Amino acid sequence: MLIRNWFFVISFFYSFLVFSQDDQSQFYNNLNFHLLDVSSGLSHNFINDIEQDSLGFIWVATYDGLNRYDGKTFKQFKKHLQNPSKGIANNYVQEIEVSGNDLFIATDAGLNKYDLRSGDFELLNDQNGLYNNSVSAIEILPDDYLVIGTYRGGLQVAHD
């Protein structure tokens, strides 16, 4: 009885592995790679984070700005010197996080919130509630709690 049970278990896992390998080879044979870099319109070739929003856009955080890719072209978002509400707080983007219609952007000058529908930027920094401007990590928890990790400033939890 014990030998039959072991035989069944081994047969099951073997069939799973064989099926899995066939699936993998079919998957790998259908992969096509394309290089997207500065010559394609990306603001910088050092990538810190990649996210996809609910509208299908791919967002790329780089050393020199935030980029939105629509499948064909990039749109760059950078620090806007004349009107800070028209751009990100700092061009060095550490991380991005999507929550509903909002994109949260972690920079060295604070946390930006970008409304995907209206295109408006808001800034959370040490002048309006953030303990440290150098935001290095963000995570959105259930019930819209936002956990913000700062460089040498610890964690801060906020409710959106």
Side-chain angles (χ1 to χ4, degrees), residues 44-93:
H44 202 282
N45 285 337
F46 286 126
I47 309 300
N48 289 327
D49 198 10
I50 302 170
E51 289 284 331
Q52 185 173 17
D53 68 20
S54 59
L55 302 173
F57 292 113
I58 302 294
W59 293 87
V60 183
T62 74
Y63 276 29
D64 190 29
L66 176 67
N67 300 262
R68 185 184 72 193
Y69 185 63
D70 63 7
K72 294 183 181 181
T73 59
F74 284 100
K75 179 176 181 180
Q76 297 180 10
F77 296 86
K78 293 192 175 189
K79 182 176 181 178
H80 197 283
L81 298 176
Q82 289 81 19
N83 188 352
S85 66
K86 297 283 184 189
I88 57 179
N90 184 289
N91 288 339
Y92 183 74
V93 181

